Amino acid sequence: MAALLRALRVGRALRGLGSVVSAPAAQPPCSSLTRGFHRAALRLQDESKADKPPSSSPSSTPYHEHYRAHSAEQEAAGAPQEHSASEPAAEEASRPNTSYQDQSGEQGEEYETEEQLQARILTAGLEFIPLHGWTVEAIAAGAEMLGLSSASTGMFYNGAGDLVLHFVSQCNSQLTDILAEQHNQIQLGQAEPKKPAEFLRDAVEIRLRMYIPYIETWPQAMSILLLPHNIPDSLKHLSTLVDDMWYYAGDRSTDMNWYTKRAALTGIYNTTELVMLQDSSSDFQDTWDFLDNRIQDVVNMATTAKQVQATGETVVQGLMGAAVTLKNLTGLNQRR
Amino acid sequence: MHRAAHTAVYSCSKIVGPAMIRQCLKCRVPQQLSSRAYSVVPTPRDSEEKEMLHRILRVDHAGEYGANRIYAGQMAVLGRSSLGPLIQEMWDQEKVHLAKFNEILAESRVRPTALLPFWNIAGFVLGASSALLGKEGAMACTVAVEESISEHYNSQIRALMEEDPDRYTELLQVIKEFRDDEIEHHDTGLEHDAESVPGYWILKNAIQLGCKAAIYASQRI
C-alpha cells in the first residue's frame, strides 16, 4: 500500500504540469520538527531579509526599482517556502485540489512553478551538505525532508552541479540584497558613502563569509564548478557578482576601465577565496588581511598608472616645447 | 520627515495585500513599484529583451565613439583650413550624442564593447587619412559614415517600433533625434562637394563596408 502510494506520488510529481503534489499520507507526524528544519534551512535566505526596511524607498535609478521588483519576486519565491513551513497541513490539503484545476495556467495562490520547486528542494538539500558533501545524495535528502520522493533528484540533470550553482546564485542574490540596502541607506542620507576600495573590501568579505558554514566541503564544490559543462554558468555567476559589486561601489565607466576594473576585482575575489580554503586562523583573519593587501595593491597600481600617465604627458609637452624652440632657433618656423 | 513619508507609502502598499502582490509576482509580471523616474530605457522584462536592448545600446555607443574619433582625425588635419569650423560644429554634436549614450549605458548597466580601443585608433586613422585626400575627401568620408549610421538607426527604430512602440517611447525619441542629426551631417557633406572627390564611389562603398563590419562586431563583442 505504501509502495503504491509512493509510486503514485512519483508518477504525479513527474507528470504534473509543473504543479507540486505530495501525498498527504507522507506528512510526517512531527511537523514541528520539520518546521524547525525548514526554519534552519531558510536561515540563509532570511538572514538578509530579517531587518529589511520598507521596500518603497526613493531609489534614484530605475535599476533599483527593477531590482526591488526582482528581490520582491525572490521573496515571493521564498514566501511559498515560508508559507509551506508554517502551514504544511493546510497547503497539503489544498494543493491536490488545485493541481488538476489549474491546468489552463491560471495561477492560483497555491501554484508553484517547477523552478520554484527545484529551488526549494536545492535549498533544503543545503542542510545535508556537511553529511553528504556536494552530491546528489544531499539533494535526495533535501527532497525527502520536504516530503517528496528522493527520485525527484531526476529533475536535476546536472546533479551536484545544480546544487552548487543554486547555492552560488543564492549567495549572489543575498549579497545584492545587502548592497542595495546599503545603497538605499546612503540615498536616504542615513549612512556615509564609502570609498570604493573600502566598499569592495567589505563586499568581498560579506560574500566570502557566506561560505563559512560550508568551508570544509567547499573545495569539492569548487572542483564541481570547474567541470567543463559547468564553466559557462559559473563564469556567468562570477561576472554578475563582480559587476554588481562594482556598480554599487559607484563605478559608472563606459570605456576600457569597465573591463580592467572587473578583471582586477575578479582576480582579487578568486585569490582570496583560495586563501580562505586553507586558512586556519581564528575567524579567517588571515584571509581578510590578504584581501586588504590585494586591494591595496590594486589601489597602488591605479595611482601609479595615473602618475605615469601624468608624467608621460608632461614629458611629451616638454619635447614639443624643445622641438618648437629648435625650429625657432634654426629659423624653420618663419613663414615667408 | 522623509522616513515618515516612506513608512506611510509602505503601509499603503501593505494594505493592498501581500497575497495579491505575491500572486502578481508569481505571474512573472514584475511589479513596477514606482514610476520609471527619468530613464530612457525601460527595465527589461526578460533576458531576451535585455539582450536586444543591450546590443542596441552597445552598438550605438560604439558608433558615436567612432564618429567622435573620425571627426577628431579630420580636425587634426583640416582644423586650420576653411572647413575647420564646420567640422568642429559637427564634432561637437557628436560629442553630445556620445555623452548621452554614456549616460544611458551607465544607467542601464550595459557592457561597453571591448573593441573600443580598436575603434579609437581606426576612427582617428580613417578621419585623418580621408582628410589627407583633401576637403572633398573628408566630406566624402562624412557622407559615407553618416549614411551608414542613419541607415543603422533607422533599422533600430523599425525593430523597436515592431516590438512595442509605447514601451520604448523615450528611447525611440532619442534615436530619432540622433538620426536626424546624422542625416543633417550627411546633407552638409553633400553640400560641400563630397561627390567631387576622385574615386568617390569606391571610397564611399569601402567606408560603408567597414562601418557594417564594425556594427556587426560591436553588437556581439
Side-chain angles (χ1 to χ4, degrees):
Chain A
M1 186 58 182
L4 189 62
L5 273 172
R6 257 223 143 138
L8 262 174
R9 218 185 331 137
V10 171
R12 259 185 278 173
L14 294 176
R15 206 197 319 134
L17 291 162
S19 51
V20 174
V21 180
S22 48
Q27 181 61 30
C30 41
S31 50
S32 58
L33 191 59
T34 326
R35 236 174 285 164
F37 274 124
H38 266 288
R39 289 271 153 74
L42 296 169
R43 201 187 343 115
L44 262 177
Q45 276 205 348
D46 292 345
E47 239 171 57
S48 55
K49 293 184 208 147
D51 42 1
K52 213 173 187 175
S55 52
S56 57
S57 26
S59 315
S60 65
T61 67
Y63 181 78
H64 282 289
E65 276 127 35
H66 165 65
Y67 167 73
R68 281 281 160 217
H70 240 300
S71 70
E73 201 179 296
Q74 282 177 349
E75 224 177 290
Q81 305 183 35
E82 288 168 283
H83 188 72
S84 68
S86 53
E87 295 167 77
E91 198 150 327
E92 306 278 46
S94 56
R95 226 182 266 142
N97 287 340
T98 56
S99 67
Y100 294 114
Q101 286 167 6
D102 281 352
Q103 291 183 13
S104 60
E106 280 296 304
Q107 320 245 354
E109 282 258 341
E110 312 306 325
Y111 189 80
E112 187 187 34
T113 65
E114 190 175 323
E115 283 136 24
Q116 286 171 337
L117 171 63
Q118 287 187 344
R120 252 195 334 135
I121 295 180
L122 290 174
T123 309
L126 290 176
E127 275 292 298
F128 298 91
I129 306 277
L131 183 58
H132 295 294
W134 298 88
T135 56
V136 185
E137 280 84 32
I139 306 179
E144 280 179 347
M145 183 173 91
L146 292 179
L148 303 167
S149 157
S150 61
S152 49
T153 56
M155 263 200 292
F156 301 104
Y157 299 120
N158 204 0
D162 275 331
L163 189 58
V164 182
L165 289 170
H166 169 81
F167 176 63
V168 168
S169 111
Q170 197 181 56
C171 289
N172 287 353
S173 339
Q174 281 173 31
L175 180 72
T176 321
D177 277 342
I178 295 173
L179 293 183
E181 199 35 62
Q182 286 180 3
H183 186 99
N184 277 338
Q185 294 281 319
I186 295 175
Q187 299 266 299
L188 288 171
Q190 286 164 8
E192 288 299 313
K194 291 190 205 170
K195 299 178 94 83
E198 195 193 322
F199 183 93
L200 290 174
R201 191 220 167 282
D202 290 338
V204 174
E205 183 180 337
I206 292 173
R207 178 63 175 77
L208 285 176
R209 278 191 183 275
M210 295 180 194
Y211 290 160
I212 291 182
Y214 304 93
I215 198 72
E216 306 293 322
T217 48
W218 193 247
Q220 185 194 10
M222 281 184 82
S223 63
I224 292 175
L225 284 177
L226 285 173
L227 290 173
H229 55 268
N230 284 331
I231 286 185
D233 283 324
S234 64
L235 281 181
K236 193 169 57 113
H237 282 130
L238 182 60
S239 59
T240 45
L241 171 70
V242 170
D243 187 37
D244 281 337
M245 286 206 252
W246 264 119
Y247 176 75
Y248 285 110
D251 174 48
R252 300 286 182 275
S253 51
T254 50
D255 52 8
M256 277 321 270
N257 280 330
W258 193 94
Y259 289 92
T260 52
K261 282 181 175 176
R262 279 149 185 77
L265 187 56
T266 309
I268 293 175
Y269 178 82
N270 281 339
T271 48
T272 313
E273 191 181 356
L274 289 172
V275 164
M276 191 169 156
L277 287 181
Q278 46 79 51
D279 185 8
S280 52
S281 60
S282 97
D283 195 36
F284 297 91
Q285 196 49 48
D286 284 350
T287 309
W288 313 134
D289 291 338
F290 178 85
L291 175 61
D292 280 330
N293 289 337
R294 295 293 72 71
I295 295 206
Q296 203 49 49
D297 282 347
V298 171
V299 167
N300 287 344
M301 234 173 23
T303 323
T304 316
K306 275 200 199 104
Q307 284 175 342
V308 165
Q309 196 186 19
T311 313
E313 277 167 12
T314 322
V315 165
V316 164
Q317 276 181 348
L319 284 174
M320 296 285 277
V324 169
T325 313
L326 213 57
K327 278 171 83 174
N328 283 338
L329 285 176
T330 55
L332 284 172
N333 232 7
Q334 306 282 0
R335 221 185 285 224
R336 272 181 242 280
Chain B
M1 185 182 77
H2 234 191
R3 209 162 197 191
H6 292 303
T7 42
V9 176
Y10 179 55
S11 51
C12 263
S13 66
K14 274 223 135 155
I15 292 166
V16 168
M20 204 175 100
I21 297 177
R22 195 171 9 132
Q23 187 178 17
C24 284
L25 289 166
K26 275 188 199 164
C27 290
R28 301 244 164 231
V29 173
Q31 190 182 23
Q32 235 97 61
L33 284 165
S34 64
S35 70
R36 282 208 312 251
Y38 177 63
S39 72
V40 173
V41 180
T43 342
R45 271 188 286 242
D46 51 35
S47 61
E48 255 177 55
E49 188 188 353
K50 180 171 169 227
E51 189 57 40
M52 176 194 81
L53 282 174
H54 282 210
R55 279 192 173 184
I56 288 178
L57 293 171
R58 187 176 311 135
V59 73
D60 286 350
H61 175 255
E64 294 299 344
Y65 185 80
N68 236 294
R69 296 304 296 156
I70 292 176
Y71 282 121
Q74 289 187 344
M75 274 304 279
V77 176
L78 290 173
R80 264 167 284 187
S81 71
S82 58
L83 222 48
L86 179 66
I87 300 179
Q88 183 65 47
E89 188 194 317
M90 293 199 285
W91 189 12
D92 289 337
Q93 280 182 320
E94 298 294 349
K95 283 185 191 156
V96 168
H97 291 186
L98 182 62
K100 182 69 183 164
F101 274 121
N102 275 337
E103 192 189 304
I104 296 177
L105 248 70
E107 182 184 274
S108 316
R109 298 184 58 170
V110 180
R111 170 181 69 86
T113 170
L115 297 169
L116 281 179
F118 188 60
W119 301 146
N120 188 351
I121 301 175
F124 193 87
V125 164
L126 175 63
S129 48
S130 65
L132 286 172
L133 291 174
K135 298 188 194 139
E136 294 79 20
M139 289 294 110
C141 171
T142 304
V143 164
V145 171
E146 300 294 3
E147 192 178 309
S148 282
I149 289 191
S150 34
E151 210 178 287
H152 166 69
Y153 277 152
N154 274 334
S155 66
Q156 282 186 345
I157 292 172
R158 270 192 291 271
L160 289 173
M161 296 282 272
E162 256 175 45
E163 284 285 324
D164 190 345
D166 296 316
R167 192 167 155 73
Y168 303 117
T169 13
E170 289 99 348
L171 181 59
L172 277 170
Q173 207 175 343
V174 167
I175 298 183
K176 279 180 191 166
E177 196 188 310
F178 290 2
R179 180 214 43 197
D180 294 340
D181 285 341
E182 308 294 359
I183 291 184
E184 197 191 309
H185 292 177
H186 172 261
D187 295 339
T188 311
L190 283 176
E191 276 166 30
H192 284 83
D193 306 321
E195 284 157 336
S196 62
V197 72
Y200 173 71
W201 188 88
I202 293 184
L203 187 65
K204 178 162 176 258
N205 279 308
I207 293 176
Q208 287 192 331
L209 195 64
C211 285
K212 282 203 186 79
I215 289 173
Y216 182 85
S218 292
Q219 270 173 342
R220 285 156 188 79
I221 307 180

